[in-house]
Amino acid sequence: MTESKCSSARENRGGLDEMVARLRERAARGERTLAAIDGRCAAGKTTLAQTLGGRYGWSVIHMDHFFLRPEQRTLQRLSVPGENVDHERFLEQVLLPLKAGKSFCYRPFDCHTLAFGEPIRVEPGPVTLIEGSYSCNRALWAYYDFRAFLTVTPQLQRRRIRERNGEEGLNVFLEKWIPLEEAYFAQAELERRCDYLLEL
C-alpha cells in the first residue's frame, strides 16, 4: 500500500499524506502522539496501521485485544452502541501509561478462545497508532491527538469479508457485527467528527 492510494472520502478533509506528514512533524519535534484509526470492518484499518508502523517505526496497538470477556457481555451493556469493547481496561492499561510516557504490559483477550494471551510489552515511542473498531469510543476520544475514520463501499466490504472469513463468516458480519458497528458510528457521528475521513 502506498500513501497515494488513500484519498479523502466525500468531504474536503486531508488524506493520508497530510495525516502522516503531521504525525511525522510532531515526532520530529519530540511530541509524543496518539492517533486512533477507527472505521468500518474490512476497510483496511489493520493493514494501514501495520504499514505505517513498519515504515516509520511507530507502535501499533489493536483494539481487537480488548473485546469484552463473557461475563462483561450483559444485555444492558450491549444495548449501548460502542460498549462491546473493554474500554475501561484499555484506558487503564494502555492509554493512561502512554499519556504518561511510561512503558507497560497488557494481555490480549482472544474472543475465539475466550482466554488471555501472553503479555505484550509496549515502550512509548514518538507515535502510537491505536487501530480497530471502537477505538474512538466516547470514553477514549479525548485522549487522542488525531483520529481517522476509514470507510469502504458495501460491495467492497462484503467481498473482503467473504475472502477473509468465508460465506458463513460474511453472514455473521451482515447479521451481527456490521449493524453493531453502524449503530456506534451513527451515534458517535464518527464520519463527521474524526480529523481524517479516508477510503483505501
Side-chain angles (χ1 to χ4, degrees), residues 21 28 35 46 48 64 72 105 118 127 132 145 150 154 164 170 176 179 182:
T46 302
L48 174 60
D64 283 0
Q72 296 175 300
C105 291
E118 293 298 314
V127 175
D145 301 291
L150 265 64
R164 184 182 67 190
L170 172 61
K176 182 177 182 180
E182 291 299 328

Side-chain angles (χ1 to χ4, degrees), residues 13 43 73 83 92 110 115 124 144 149 151:
R13 275 177 277 182
R73 300 174 189 176
E83 286 296 304
E92 178 182 355
D110 189 323
Y144 300 119
F149 184 90
T151 190

